[in-house]
Amino acid sequence: MTQQDDDLDDLFAAAAVNPARPSDALIARILADADALLSRPASPAPRPGWFATLADWFGGGMSLAGMSAAALTGLYLGIAQPVPLTGLTELVTGTAALDSLDLMPSNGALWAQE
Amino acid sequence: MPRDTLADVSDETLLVLYANGDAEASRLLTTRLAPRIFGYALRLLADRAEAEDVTQETMLRLWQQAPKWRSGEAQVSTWAYRVVTNLCTDLRRARMRRPAVTLDDAPEVADGTKSALARIIEGDRMTALQTALSQLPDRQRQAVVLRHIEGMTNPQIGQIMEIGVEAVESLTARGKRTLAALLAGQQQEIGYDGSQEDEA
């Protein structure tokens, strides 16, 4: 510690105990700002977009995603007509020839080989 | 809420109360914070009008921040000091870019002892200290004022200035050395010895 430091610390101490005071006008302006913000009505919530509205109708975004996936899968099956489903489709729509549908395949072929 | 009930409430709680519509909380918070940040801004800017503008702007941002205030992230006073620090830095940069174009500006630039600050801080010693502080680089001045006049700890200063504690120590040490050298030239007027012979 030097005399120089002591002198400087004395100056700092004197400055600390004699703070400048804000004017009454400044305090009034600050409080007016605070009151103005308090009295300002809360801004209305932004309107939800069409997608959010649609999602709400179906119980949220996850439900809408599930329904979309199911719809796309159905569309694919309808267009592609995979072979394993063709028989089932004909059965459901009544266009299948029932005598040609082998619901219980015969095991006769196995015996014939012996 | 009555003022007496709020006397022991923390700054953060007052801010939450204000956000919930309690006007009395804003009055108490203003009483606590405004003098401190005004004094700090005045030390950094040495211009009363600018210091008042900075104080008002800081408090306005605090009111706007109130509904979004995240508890426990920072002390309200630390946040306010940080805003003041940044606003003052911006103002001083703008001041350096702005030429003195009016007759009103010229005397203030030419003679710091006749500034607005000289009229509000009594005594030659305080004026000399402020004049010397004004000659420090921005970061050194901020660190010295926060440490030695506002009485903050180095970690608090680090939070306000968004730097590490070691950087704070370096800035305050360099700032004090520069101040001592500046004030040594005015030892007759302010009773400042400035000698370095009495090593402890």
Side-chain angles (χ1 to χ4, degrees):
Chain A
M1 182 70 74
T2 64
Q3 179 65 40
Q4 196 175 36
D5 288 332
D6 286 341
D7 288 340
L8 206 46
D9 288 340
D10 286 347
L11 272 180
F12 288 142
V17 297
N18 293 306
R21 310 301 305 175
S23 66
D24 291 343
L26 172 62
I27 297 296
R29 291 205 303 272
I30 291 170
L31 293 178
D33 286 342
D35 290 344
L37 281 175
L38 267 190
S39 59
R40 184 181 299 173
S43 56
R47 287 184 59 187
W50 66 268
F51 185 81
T53 307
L54 188 66
D56 280 349
W57 284 353
F58 292 100
M62 291 297 287
S63 299
L64 195 60
M67 290 178 62
S68 301
L72 287 173
T73 305
L75 187 63
Y76 164 74
L77 292 175
I79 293 171
Q81 293 273 332
V83 175
L85 290 176
T86 307
L88 183 62
T89 306
E90 290 172 347
L91 188 64
V92 169
T93 56
T95 56
L98 285 179
D99 57 345
S100 66
L101 186 63
D102 198 1
L103 292 176
M104 185 70 74
S106 165
N107 58 359
L110 295 172
W111 302 118
Q113 286 180 357
E114 288 185 2
Chain B
M1 198 177 286
R3 201 180 183 93
D4 290 346
T5 317
L6 294 175
D8 297 329
V9 171
S10 71
D11 292 348
E12 188 172 283
T13 306
L14 286 177
L15 196 57
V16 172
L17 285 170
Y18 167 74
N20 291 330
D22 190 335
E24 194 54 44
S26 66
R27 276 150 184 69
L28 195 51
L29 206 46
T30 301
T31 307
R32 285 186 192 176
L33 279 181
R36 293 175 65 193
I37 61 175
F38 171 71
Y40 175 51
L42 190 54
R43 289 281 172 206
L44 297 188
L45 295 167
D47 183 293
R48 189 176 180 90
E50 285 185 340
E52 289 198 343
D53 287 346
V54 165
T55 304
Q56 187 179 1
E57 175 65 23
T58 302
M59 295 303 290
L60 177 62
R61 291 187 186 189
L62 184 64
W63 308 138
Q64 290 169 335
Q65 186 70 20
K68 300 172 275 183
W69 187 263
R70 286 192 283 191
S71 177
E73 267 197 9
Q75 285 189 359
V76 174
S77 59
T78 304
W79 181 93
Y81 272 99
R82 189 185 302 156
V83 173
V84 170
T85 302
N86 293 336
L87 288 173
C88 289
T89 301
D90 292 346
L91 263 178
R92 286 183 61 88
R93 282 181 187 154
R95 197 191 285 173
M96 279 188 282
R97 286 194 299 267
R98 185 179 61 216
V101 291
T102 66
L103 289 174
D104 289 340
D105 288 337
E108 221 171 57
V109 174
D111 186 357
T113 59
K114 290 179 184 171
S115 69
L117 186 73
R119 291 193 293 274
I120 57 173
I121 299 177
E122 291 182 5
D124 290 343
R125 296 174 79 221
M126 291 301 100
T127 306
L129 174 62
Q130 184 58 48
T131 304
L133 277 172
S134 298
Q135 294 176 57
L136 290 182
D138 280 355
R139 301 293 274 175
Q140 287 183 25
R141 182 172 52 257
Q142 290 159 7
V144 166
V145 170
L146 287 169
R147 181 75 185 91
H148 296 289
I149 299 180
E150 298 298 317
M152 296 202 170
T153 63
N154 287 344
Q156 282 177 316
I157 298 168
Q159 283 185 337
I160 291 167
M161 296 180 67
E162 299 178 278
I163 55 176
V165 170
E166 285 182 7
V168 173
E169 288 168 355
S170 169
L171 283 171
T172 48
R174 280 186 286 150
K176 275 188 82 172
R177 275 201 302 273
T178 312
L179 266 187
L182 289 167
L183 289 167
Q186 305 175 50
Q187 54 193 15
Q188 290 298 324
E189 301 118 62
I190 61 172
Y192 179 86
D193 188 324
S195 69
Q196 297 186 51
E197 291 161 8
D198 314 355
E199 293 284 350

